[in-house]
PDB file of all heavy atoms in Angstrom:
ATOM      1  N   THR C   1      93.478 100.065 114.410  1.00  0.00           N
ATOM      2  CA  THR C   1      92.893  98.820 114.880  1.00  0.00           C
ATOM      3  C   THR C   1      93.740  97.648 114.411  1.00  0.00           C
ATOM      4  O   THR C   1      94.581  97.792 113.515  1.00  0.00           O
ATOM      5  CB  THR C   1      91.470  98.667 114.357  1.00  0.00           C
ATOM      6  OG1 THR C   1      91.517  98.610 112.920  1.00  0.00           O
ATOM      7  CG2 THR C   1      90.613  99.853 114.778  1.00  0.00           C
ATOM      8  N   PRO C   2      93.566  96.450 115.001  1.00  0.00           N
ATOM      9  CA  PRO C   2      94.344  95.298 114.508  1.00  0.00           C
ATOM     10  C   PRO C   2      94.162  95.044 113.019  1.00  0.00           C
ATOM     11  O   PRO C   2      95.139  94.676 112.339  1.00  0.00           O
ATOM     12  CB  PRO C   2      93.805  94.145 115.351  1.00  0.00           C
ATOM     13  CG  PRO C   2      93.363  94.792 116.634  1.00  0.00           C
ATOM     14  CD  PRO C   2      92.825  96.124 116.224  1.00  0.00           C
ATOM     15  N   GLU C   3      92.958  95.231 112.491  1.00  0.00           N
ATOM     16  CA  GLU C   3      92.751  95.027 111.053  1.00  0.00           C
ATOM     17  C   GLU C   3      93.524  96.055 110.237  1.00  0.00           C
ATOM     18  O   GLU C   3      94.150  95.717 109.215  1.00  0.00           O
ATOM     19  CB  GLU C   3      91.251  95.082 110.726  1.00  0.00           C
ATOM     20  CG  GLU C   3      90.438  93.941 111.328  1.00  0.00           C
ATOM     21  CD  GLU C   3      90.149  94.139 112.800  1.00  0.00           C
ATOM     22  OE1 GLU C   3      90.409  95.277 113.292  1.00  0.00           O
ATOM     23  OE2 GLU C   3      89.685  93.196 113.466  1.00  0.00           O
ATOM     24  N   GLU C   4      93.487  97.297 110.653  1.00  0.00           N
ATOM     25  CA  GLU C   4      94.207  98.336 109.935  1.00  0.00           C
ATOM     26  C   GLU C   4      95.719  98.143 110.045  1.00  0.00           C
ATOM     27  O   GLU C   4      96.463  98.404 109.090  1.00  0.00           O
ATOM     28  CB  GLU C   4      93.816  99.718 110.473  1.00  0.00           C
ATOM     29  CG  GLU C   4      92.351 100.087 110.196  1.00  0.00           C
ATOM     30  CD  GLU C   4      91.934 101.355 110.934  1.00  0.00           C
ATOM     31  OE1 GLU C   4      92.629 101.720 111.904  1.00  0.00           O
ATOM     32  OE2 GLU C   4      90.934 101.957 110.537  1.00  0.00           O
ATOM     33  N   ARG C   5      96.169  97.686 111.200  1.00  0.00           N
ATOM     34  CA  ARG C   5      97.610  97.448 111.358  1.00  0.00           C
ATOM     35  C   ARG C   5      98.077  96.298 110.488  1.00  0.00           C
ATOM     36  O   ARG C   5      99.183  96.334 109.933  1.00  0.00           O
ATOM     37  CB  ARG C   5      97.935  97.182 112.826  1.00  0.00           C
ATOM     38  CG  ARG C   5      99.401  97.104 113.099  1.00  0.00           C
ATOM     39  CD  ARG C   5      99.747  97.354 114.555  1.00  0.00           C
ATOM     40  NE  ARG C   5      99.197  96.363 115.442  1.00  0.00           N
ATOM     41  CZ  ARG C   5      99.620  96.181 116.700  1.00  0.00           C
ATOM     42  NH1 ARG C   5     100.568  96.938 117.171  1.00  0.00           N
ATOM     43  NH2 ARG C   5      99.062  95.279 117.469  1.00  0.00           N
ATOM     44  N   ALA C   6      97.257  95.259 110.334  1.00  0.00           N
ATOM     45  CA  ALA C   6      97.619  94.151 109.450  1.00  0.00           C
ATOM     46  C   ALA C   6      97.724  94.616 107.996  1.00  0.00           C
ATOM     47  O   ALA C   6      98.648  94.212 107.272  1.00  0.00           O
ATOM     48  CB  ALA C   6      96.600  93.021 109.582  1.00  0.00           C
ATOM     49  N   LEU C   7      96.805  95.485 107.568  1.00  0.00           N
ATOM     50  CA  LEU C   7      96.878  96.011 106.204  1.00  0.00           C
ATOM     51  C   LEU C   7      98.133  96.839 105.998  1.00  0.00           C
ATOM     52  O   LEU C   7      98.792  96.793 104.938  1.00  0.00           O
ATOM     53  CB  LEU C   7      95.635  96.818 105.900  1.00  0.00           C
ATOM     54  CG  LEU C   7      94.310  96.045 105.790  1.00  0.00           C
ATOM     55  CD1 LEU C   7      93.143  96.999 105.583  1.00  0.00           C
ATOM     56  CD2 LEU C   7      94.378  95.034 104.659  1.00  0.00           C
ATOM     57  N   LEU C   8      98.475  97.647 107.003  1.00  0.00           N
ATOM     58  CA  LEU C   8      99.697  98.467 106.907  1.00  0.00           C
ATOM     59  C   LEU C   8     100.940  97.579 106.807  1.00  0.00           C
ATOM     60  O   LEU C   8     101.863  97.867 106.031  1.00  0.00           O
ATOM     61  CB  LEU C   8      99.791  99.390 108.127  1.00  0.00           C
ATOM     62  CG  LEU C   8     101.046 100.277 108.201  1.00  0.00           C
ATOM     63  CD1 LEU C   8     101.051 101.282 107.069  1.00  0.00           C
ATOM     64  CD2 LEU C   8     101.094 100.999 109.557  1.00  0.00           C
ATOM     65  N   ARG C   9     100.972  96.514 107.573  1.00  0.00           N
ATOM     66  CA  ARG C   9     102.118  95.605 107.519  1.00  0.00           C
ATOM     67  C   ARG C   9     102.210  94.923 106.155  1.00  0.00           C
ATOM     68  O   ARG C   9     103.294  94.736 105.619  1.00  0.00           O
ATOM     69  CB  ARG C   9     102.001  94.568 108.631  1.00  0.00           C
ATOM     70  CG  ARG C   9     102.184  95.129 110.022  1.00  0.00           C
ATOM     71  CD  ARG C   9     101.823  94.100 111.076  1.00  0.00           C
ATOM     72  NE  ARG C   9     102.097  94.573 112.436  1.00  0.00           N
ATOM     73  CZ  ARG C   9     101.777  93.911 113.540  1.00  0.00           C
ATOM     74  NH1 ARG C   9     101.171  92.733 113.439  1.00  0.00           N
ATOM     75  NH2 ARG C   9     102.048  94.411 114.740  1.00  0.00           N
ATOM     76  N   GLN C  10     101.060  94.540 105.602  1.00  0.00           N
ATOM     77  CA  GLN C  10     101.081  93.894 104.292  1.00  0.00           C
ATOM     78  C   GLN C  10     101.575  94.866 103.210  1.00  0.00           C
ATOM     79  O   GLN C  10     102.278  94.475 102.288  1.00  0.00           O
ATOM     80  CB  GLN C  10      99.671  93.391 103.932  1.00  0.00           C
ATOM     81  CG  GLN C  10      99.187  92.238 104.767  1.00  0.00           C
ATOM     82  CD  GLN C  10      99.908  90.948 104.425  1.00  0.00           C
ATOM     83  OE1 GLN C  10     100.492  90.824 103.357  1.00  0.00           O
ATOM     84  NE2 GLN C  10      99.902  90.007 105.360  1.00  0.00           N
ATOM     85  N   ARG C  11     101.208  96.121 103.337  1.00  0.00           N
ATOM     86  CA  ARG C  11     101.556  97.097 102.322  1.00  0.00           C
ATOM     87  C   ARG C  11     102.987  97.585 102.426  1.00  0.00           C
ATOM     88  O   ARG C  11     103.649  97.805 101.406  1.00  0.00           O
ATOM     89  CB  ARG C  11     100.585  98.289 102.420  1.00  0.00           C
ATOM     90  CG  ARG C  11     100.713  99.285 101.270  1.00  0.00           C
ATOM     91  CD  ARG C  11      99.651 100.345 101.326  1.00  0.00           C
ATOM     92  NE  ARG C  11      99.775 101.197 102.494  1.00  0.00           N
ATOM     93  CZ  ARG C  11      98.954 101.160 103.532  1.00  0.00           C
ATOM     94  NH1 ARG C  11      97.941 100.289 103.550  1.00  0.00           N
ATOM     95  NH2 ARG C  11      99.122 101.970 104.571  1.00  0.00           N
ATOM     96  N   ARG C  12     103.513  97.711 103.639  1.00  0.00           N
ATOM     97  CA  ARG C  12     104.837  98.315 103.791  1.00  0.00           C
ATOM     98  C   ARG C  12     105.864  97.369 104.402  1.00  0.00           C
ATOM     99  O   ARG C  12     106.988  97.248 103.894  1.00  0.00           O
ATOM    100  CB  ARG C  12     104.721  99.580 104.657  1.00  0.00           C
ATOM    101  CG  ARG C  12     103.838 100.668 104.044  1.00  0.00           C
ATOM    102  CD  ARG C  12     103.803 101.893 104.936  1.00  0.00           C
ATOM    103  NE  ARG C  12     105.139 102.396 105.212  1.00  0.00           N
ATOM    104  CZ  ARG C  12     105.396 103.385 106.084  1.00  0.00           C
ATOM    105  NH1 ARG C  12     104.398 103.954 106.743  1.00  0.00           N
ATOM    106  NH2 ARG C  12     106.631 103.785 106.273  1.00  0.00           N
ATOM    107  N   SER C  13     105.501  96.682 105.481  1.00  0.00           N
ATOM    108  CA  SER C  13     106.484  95.849 106.186  1.00  0.00           C
ATOM    109  C   SER C  13     106.914  94.652 105.363  1.00  0.00           C
ATOM    110  O   SER C  13     108.094  94.266 105.374  1.00  0.00           O
ATOM    111  CB  SER C  13     105.925  95.383 107.527  1.00  0.00           C
ATOM    112  OG  SER C  13     105.597  96.484 108.351  1.00  0.00           O
ATOM    113  N   ARG C  14     105.979  94.032 104.634  1.00  0.00           N
ATOM    114  CA  ARG C  14     106.356  92.850 103.865  1.00  0.00           C
ATOM    115  C   ARG C  14     107.404  93.165 102.810  1.00  0.00           C
ATOM    116  O   ARG C  14     108.334  92.386 102.569  1.00  0.00           O
ATOM    117  CB  ARG C  14     105.112  92.242 103.229  1.00  0.00           C
ATOM    118  CG  ARG C  14     105.366  90.908 102.538  1.00  0.00           C
ATOM    119  CD  ARG C  14     104.074  90.308 102.028  1.00  0.00           C
ATOM    120  NE  ARG C  14     103.198  89.893 103.103  1.00  0.00           N
ATOM    121  CZ  ARG C  14     103.292  88.722 103.724  1.00  0.00           C
ATOM    122  NH1 ARG C  14     104.253  87.857 103.377  1.00  0.00           N
ATOM    123  NH2 ARG C  14     102.457  88.395 104.680  1.00  0.00           N
ATOM    124  N   ARG C  15     107.290  94.340 102.166  1.00  0.00           N
ATOM    125  CA  ARG C  15     108.283  94.718 101.176  1.00  0.00           C
ATOM    126  C   ARG C  15     109.652  94.933 101.817  1.00  0.00           C
ATOM    127  O   ARG C  15     110.692  94.547 101.241  1.00  0.00           O
ATOM    128  CB  ARG C  15     107.818  95.993 100.463  1.00  0.00           C
ATOM    129  CG  ARG C  15     108.739  96.491  99.371  1.00  0.00           C
ATOM    130  CD  ARG C  15     108.124  97.678  98.683  1.00  0.00           C
ATOM    131  NE  ARG C  15     107.812  98.728  99.658  1.00  0.00           N
ATOM    132  CZ  ARG C  15     107.119  99.844  99.351  1.00  0.00           C
ATOM    133  NH1 ARG C  15     106.665 100.015  98.131  1.00  0.00           N
ATOM    134  NH2 ARG C  15     106.901 100.745 100.272  1.00  0.00           N
ATOM    135  N   VAL C  16     109.686  95.503 103.012  1.00  0.00           N
ATOM    136  CA  VAL C  16     110.959  95.709 103.710  1.00  0.00           C
ATOM    137  C   VAL C  16     111.575  94.367 104.081  1.00  0.00           C
ATOM    138  O   VAL C  16     112.798  94.172 103.956  1.00  0.00           O
ATOM    139  CB  VAL C  16     110.738  96.584 104.969  1.00  0.00           C
ATOM    140  CG1 VAL C  16     112.033  96.722 105.759  1.00  0.00           C
ATOM    141  CG2 VAL C  16     110.203  97.958 104.578  1.00  0.00           C
ATOM    142  N   ILE C  17     110.757  93.423 104.477  1.00  0.00           N
ATOM    143  CA  ILE C  17     111.282  92.108 104.880  1.00  0.00           C
ATOM    144  C   ILE C  17     111.839  91.354 103.677  1.00  0.00           C
ATOM    145  O   ILE C  17     112.845  90.635 103.787  1.00  0.00           O
ATOM    146  CB  ILE C  17     110.166  91.312 105.592  1.00  0.00           C
ATOM    147  CG1 ILE C  17     109.867  91.961 106.965  1.00  0.00           C
ATOM    148  CG2 ILE C  17     110.582  89.860 105.780  1.00  0.00           C
ATOM    149  CD1 ILE C  17     108.764  91.283 107.727  1.00  0.00           C
ATOM    150  N   ARG C  18     111.198  91.511 102.531  1.00  0.00           N
ATOM    151  CA  ARG C  18     111.762  90.867 101.320  1.00  0.00           C
ATOM    152  C   ARG C  18     113.175  91.393 101.041  1.00  0.00           C
ATOM    153  O   ARG C  18     114.093  90.617 100.728  1.00  0.00           O
ATOM    154  CB  ARG C  18     110.842  91.141 100.120  1.00  0.00           C
ATOM    155  CG  ARG C  18     109.529  90.397 100.131  1.00  0.00           C
ATOM    156  CD  ARG C  18     108.926  90.385  98.745  1.00  0.00           C
ATOM    157  NE  ARG C  18     107.530  89.976  98.780  1.00  0.00           N
ATOM    158  CZ  ARG C  18     106.494  90.795  98.696  1.00  0.00           C
ATOM    159  NH1 ARG C  18     106.689  92.089  98.573  1.00  0.00           N
ATOM    160  NH2 ARG C  18     105.265  90.331  98.723  1.00  0.00           N
ATOM    161  N   GLY C  19     113.347  92.703 101.112  1.00  0.00           N
ATOM    162  CA  GLY C  19     114.679  93.258 100.903  1.00  0.00           C
ATOM    163  C   GLY C  19     115.671  92.804 101.959  1.00  0.00           C
ATOM    164  O   GLY C  19     116.839  92.548 101.666  1.00  0.00           O
ATOM    165  N   LEU C  20     115.214  92.667 103.221  1.00  0.00           N
ATOM    166  CA  LEU C  20     116.096  92.178 104.275  1.00  0.00           C
ATOM    167  C   LEU C  20     116.520  90.749 104.004  1.00  0.00           C
ATOM    168  O   LEU C  20     117.699  90.393 104.219  1.00  0.00           O
ATOM    169  CB  LEU C  20     115.373  92.285 105.619  1.00  0.00           C
ATOM    170  CG  LEU C  20     116.118  91.748 106.834  1.00  0.00           C
ATOM    171  CD1 LEU C  20     117.377  92.559 107.100  1.00  0.00           C
ATOM    172  CD2 LEU C  20     115.213  91.750 108.080  1.00  0.00           C
ATOM    173  N   ARG C  21     115.605  89.929 103.522  1.00  0.00           N
ATOM    174  CA  ARG C  21     115.966  88.522 103.258  1.00  0.00           C
ATOM    175  C   ARG C  21     117.037  88.441 102.154  1.00  0.00           C
ATOM    176  O   ARG C  21     117.977  87.628 102.256  1.00  0.00           O
ATOM    177  CB  ARG C  21     114.722  87.748 102.849  1.00  0.00           C
ATOM    178  CG  ARG C  21     114.971  86.284 102.455  1.00  0.00           C
ATOM    179  CD  ARG C  21     115.625  85.538 103.621  1.00  0.00           C
ATOM    180  NE  ARG C  21     115.996  84.188 103.225  1.00  0.00           N
ATOM    181  CZ  ARG C  21     115.224  83.110 103.412  1.00  0.00           C
ATOM    182  NH1 ARG C  21     114.016  83.248 103.956  1.00  0.00           N
ATOM    183  NH2 ARG C  21     115.629  81.914 103.064  1.00  0.00           N
ATOM    184  N   ARG C  22     116.913  89.253 101.110  1.00  0.00           N
ATOM    185  CA  ARG C  22     117.925  89.232 100.056  1.00  0.00           C
ATOM    186  C   ARG C  22     119.289  89.648 100.600  1.00  0.00           C
ATOM    187  O   ARG C  22     120.326  89.048 100.257  1.00  0.00           O
ATOM    188  CB  ARG C  22     117.497  90.153  98.902  1.00  0.00           C
ATOM    189  CG  ARG C  22     116.318  89.640  98.101  1.00  0.00           C
ATOM    190  CD  ARG C  22     116.157  90.427  96.805  1.00  0.00           C
ATOM    191  NE  ARG C  22     115.862  91.819  97.066  1.00  0.00           N
ATOM    192  CZ  ARG C  22     114.626  92.303  97.141  1.00  0.00           C
ATOM    193  NH1 ARG C  22     113.557  91.508  96.984  1.00  0.00           N
ATOM    194  NH2 ARG C  22     114.429  93.600  97.370  1.00  0.00           N
ATOM    195  N   ARG C  23     119.324  90.655 101.452  1.00  0.00           N
ATOM    196  CA  ARG C  23     120.598  91.099 102.031  1.00  0.00           C
ATOM    197  C   ARG C  23     121.192  90.009 102.943  1.00  0.00           C
ATOM    198  O   ARG C  23     122.417  89.814 102.972  1.00  0.00           O
ATOM    199  CB  ARG C  23     120.379  92.386 102.850  1.00  0.00           C
ATOM    200  CG  ARG C  23     120.001  93.603 102.023  1.00  0.00           C
ATOM    201  CD  ARG C  23     121.170  94.091 101.203  1.00  0.00           C
ATOM    202  NE  ARG C  23     120.875  95.342 100.537  1.00  0.00           N
ATOM    203  CZ  ARG C  23     121.171  96.533 101.022  1.00  0.00           C
ATOM    204  NH1 ARG C  23     121.774  96.632 102.192  1.00  0.00           N
ATOM    205  NH2 ARG C  23     120.878  97.622 100.328  1.00  0.00           N
ATOM    206  N   ILE C  24     120.354  89.322 103.697  1.00  0.00           N
ATOM    207  CA  ILE C  24     120.856  88.268 104.586  1.00  0.00           C
ATOM    208  C   ILE C  24     121.453  87.113 103.774  1.00  0.00           C
ATOM    209  O   ILE C  24     122.524  86.575 104.115  1.00  0.00           O
ATOM    210  CB  ILE C  24     119.729  87.777 105.519  1.00  0.00           C
ATOM    211  CG1 ILE C  24     119.379  88.849 106.563  1.00  0.00           C
ATOM    212  CG2 ILE C  24     120.129  86.483 106.213  1.00  0.00           C
ATOM    213  CD1 ILE C  24     118.237  88.482 107.471  1.00  0.00           C
ATOM    214  N   ASP C  25     120.777  86.724 102.692  1.00  0.00           N
ATOM    215  CA  ASP C  25     121.307  85.648 101.856  1.00  0.00           C
ATOM    216  C   ASP C  25     122.658  86.034 101.272  1.00  0.00           C
ATOM    217  O   ASP C  25     123.599  85.209 101.233  1.00  0.00           O
ATOM    218  CB  ASP C  25     120.309  85.314 100.751  1.00  0.00           C
ATOM    219  CG  ASP C  25     119.041  84.664 101.293  1.00  0.00           C
ATOM    220  OD1 ASP C  25     119.099  84.104 102.402  1.00  0.00           O
ATOM    221  OD2 ASP C  25     118.004  84.736 100.604  1.00  0.00           O
ATOM    222  N   LYS C  26     122.788  87.273 100.779  1.00  0.00           N
ATOM    223  CA  LYS C  26     124.066  87.723 100.240  1.00  0.00           C
ATOM    224  C   LYS C  26     125.152  87.750 101.310  1.00  0.00           C
ATOM    225  O   LYS C  26     126.309  87.414 101.067  1.00  0.00           O
ATOM    226  CB  LYS C  26     123.916  89.092  99.605  1.00  0.00           C
ATOM    227  CG  LYS C  26     123.059  89.110  98.345  1.00  0.00           C
ATOM    228  CD  LYS C  26     122.961  90.522  97.781  1.00  0.00           C
ATOM    229  CE  LYS C  26     122.102  90.559  96.525  1.00  0.00           C
ATOM    230  NZ  LYS C  26     121.982  91.947  95.981  1.00  0.00           N
ATOM    231  N   THR C  27     124.765  88.146 102.525  1.00  0.00           N
ATOM    232  CA  THR C  27     125.745  88.229 103.607  1.00  0.00           C
ATOM    233  C   THR C  27     126.261  86.859 103.985  1.00  0.00           C
ATOM    234  O   THR C  27     127.467  86.680 104.263  1.00  0.00           O
ATOM    235  CB  THR C  27     125.110  88.912 104.837  1.00  0.00           C
ATOM    236  OG1 THR C  27     124.637  90.211 104.460  1.00  0.00           O
ATOM    237  CG2 THR C  27     126.119  89.063 105.959  1.00  0.00           C
ATOM    238  N   LEU C  28     125.394  85.852 104.009  1.00  0.00           N
ATOM    239  CA  LEU C  28     125.839  84.506 104.362  1.00  0.00           C
ATOM    240  C   LEU C  28     126.789  83.928 103.319  1.00  0.00           C
ATOM    241  O   LEU C  28     127.653  83.103 103.649  1.00  0.00           O
ATOM    242  CB  LEU C  28     124.619  83.593 104.513  1.00  0.00           C
ATOM    243  CG  LEU C  28     123.834  83.742 105.825  1.00  0.00           C
ATOM    244  CD1 LEU C  28     122.624  82.837 105.821  1.00  0.00           C
ATOM    245  CD2 LEU C  28     124.720  83.434 107.018  1.00  0.00           C
ATOM    246  N   HIS C  29     126.661  84.347 102.069  1.00  0.00           N
ATOM    247  CA  HIS C  29     127.590  83.898 101.038  1.00  0.00           C
ATOM    248  C   HIS C  29     128.934  84.613 101.120  1.00  0.00           C
ATOM    249  O   HIS C  29     129.952  84.090 100.677  1.00  0.00           O
ATOM    250  CB  HIS C  29     127.001  84.094  99.635  1.00  0.00           C
ATOM    251  CG  HIS C  29     125.949  83.102  99.288  1.00  0.00           C
ATOM    252  ND1 HIS C  29     124.620  83.271  99.610  1.00  0.00           N
ATOM    253  CD2 HIS C  29     126.034  81.891  98.664  1.00  0.00           C
ATOM    254  CE1 HIS C  29     123.935  82.222  99.182  1.00  0.00           C
ATOM    255  NE2 HIS C  29     124.758  81.374  98.596  1.00  0.00           N
ATOM    256  N   ALA C  30     128.946  85.806 101.689  1.00  0.00           N
ATOM    257  CA  ALA C  30     130.175  86.609 101.723  1.00  0.00           C
ATOM    258  C   ALA C  30     130.914  86.522 103.049  1.00  0.00           C
ATOM    259  O   ALA C  30     132.115  86.749 103.094  1.00  0.00           O
ATOM    260  CB  ALA C  30     129.864  88.068 101.404  1.00  0.00           C
ATOM    261  N   GLU C  31     130.218  86.240 104.162  1.00  0.00           N
ATOM    262  CA  GLU C  31     130.823  86.250 105.481  1.00  0.00           C
ATOM    263  C   GLU C  31     130.956  84.835 106.029  1.00  0.00           C
ATOM    264  O   GLU C  31     130.247  83.913 105.621  1.00  0.00           O
ATOM    265  CB  GLU C  31     129.994  87.111 106.457  1.00  0.00           C
ATOM    266  CG  GLU C  31     129.899  88.566 106.057  1.00  0.00           C
ATOM    267  CD  GLU C  31     131.217  89.304 106.223  1.00  0.00           C
ATOM    268  OE1 GLU C  31     132.004  88.881 107.101  1.00  0.00           O
ATOM    269  OE2 GLU C  31     131.453  90.255 105.477  1.00  0.00           O
ATOM    270  N   ARG C  32     131.874  84.692 106.989  1.00  0.00           N
ATOM    271  CA  ARG C  32     132.039  83.415 107.648  1.00  0.00           C
ATOM    272  C   ARG C  32     130.841  83.103 108.558  1.00  0.00           C
ATOM    273  O   ARG C  32     130.358  84.012 109.239  1.00  0.00           O
ATOM    274  CB  ARG C  32     133.321  83.403 108.482  1.00  0.00           C
ATOM    275  CG  ARG C  32     134.593  83.505 107.655  1.00  0.00           C
ATOM    276  CD  ARG C  32     135.833  83.492 108.526  1.00  0.00           C
ATOM    277  NE  ARG C  32     135.908  84.695 109.358  1.00  0.00           N
ATOM    278  CZ  ARG C  32     135.689  84.721 110.647  1.00  0.00           C
ATOM    279  NH1 ARG C  32     135.343  83.609 111.301  1.00  0.00           N
ATOM    280  NH2 ARG C  32     135.794  85.845 111.331  1.00  0.00           N
ATOM    281  N   PRO C  33     130.368  81.865 108.622  1.00  0.00           N
ATOM    282  CA  PRO C  33     129.205  81.565 109.469  1.00  0.00           C
ATOM    283  C   PRO C  33     129.461  81.804 110.957  1.00  0.00           C
ATOM    284  O   PRO C  33     128.516  82.088 111.694  1.00  0.00           O
ATOM    285  CB  PRO C  33     128.931  80.084 109.176  1.00  0.00           C
ATOM    286  CG  PRO C  33     129.572  79.820 107.859  1.00  0.00           C
ATOM    287  CD  PRO C  33     130.772  80.710 107.802  1.00  0.00           C
ATOM    288  N   LYS C  34     130.711  81.705 111.400  1.00  0.00           N
ATOM    289  CA  LYS C  34     131.029  81.878 112.812  1.00  0.00           C
ATOM    290  C   LYS C  34     131.314  83.343 113.178  1.00  0.00           C
ATOM    291  O   LYS C  34     131.561  83.642 114.343  1.00  0.00           O
ATOM    292  CB  LYS C  34     132.244  81.027 113.199  1.00  0.00           C
ATOM    293  CG  LYS C  34     132.002  79.528 113.080  1.00  0.00           C
ATOM    294  CD  LYS C  34     130.895  79.074 114.024  1.00  0.00           C
ATOM    295  CE  LYS C  34     130.699  77.564 113.966  1.00  0.00           C
ATOM    296  NZ  LYS C  34     129.639  77.104 114.894  1.00  0.00           N
ATOM    297  N   SER C  35     131.305  84.232 112.194  1.00  0.00           N
ATOM    298  CA  SER C  35     131.492  85.652 112.502  1.00  0.00           C
ATOM    299  C   SER C  35     130.237  86.192 113.201  1.00  0.00           C
ATOM    300  O   SER C  35     129.156  85.587 113.119  1.00  0.00           O
ATOM    301  CB  SER C  35     131.774  86.430 111.216  1.00  0.00           C
ATOM    302  OG  SER C  35     130.642  86.367 110.343  1.00  0.00           O
ATOM    303  N   PRO C  36     130.339  87.334 113.892  1.00  0.00           N
ATOM    304  CA  PRO C  36     129.156  87.874 114.566  1.00  0.00           C
ATOM    305  C   PRO C  36     127.971  88.109 113.633  1.00  0.00           C
ATOM    306  O   PRO C  36     126.828  87.774 113.979  1.00  0.00           O
ATOM    307  CB  PRO C  36     129.677  89.174 115.200  1.00  0.00           C
ATOM    308  CG  PRO C  36     131.142  88.936 115.380  1.00  0.00           C
ATOM    309  CD  PRO C  36     131.567  88.086 114.234  1.00  0.00           C
ATOM    310  N   VAL C  37     128.227  88.693 112.465  1.00  0.00           N
ATOM    311  CA  VAL C  37     127.120  88.919 111.542  1.00  0.00           C
ATOM    312  C   VAL C  37     126.635  87.616 110.937  1.00  0.00           C
ATOM    313  O   VAL C  37     125.429  87.460 110.647  1.00  0.00           O
ATOM    314  CB  VAL C  37     127.540  89.933 110.450  1.00  0.00           C
ATOM    315  CG1 VAL C  37     128.616  89.334 109.540  1.00  0.00           C
ATOM    316  CG2 VAL C  37     126.338  90.378 109.633  1.00  0.00           C
ATOM    317  N   GLY C  38     127.539  86.644 110.760  1.00  0.00           N
ATOM    318  CA  GLY C  38     127.104  85.344 110.267  1.00  0.00           C
ATOM    319  C   GLY C  38     126.198  84.631 111.251  1.00  0.00           C
ATOM    320  O   GLY C  38     125.198  84.006 110.850  1.00  0.00           O
TER     321      GLY C  38
END
């Protein structure tokens, strides 16, 4: 249900997104902004 899916996202997806944000910040410091990954 939508309520159960929101709980699943809070428990699992939010942790994955935190890790993704850390990787993105590190990538912007290491790569050129005009590169494809930048």
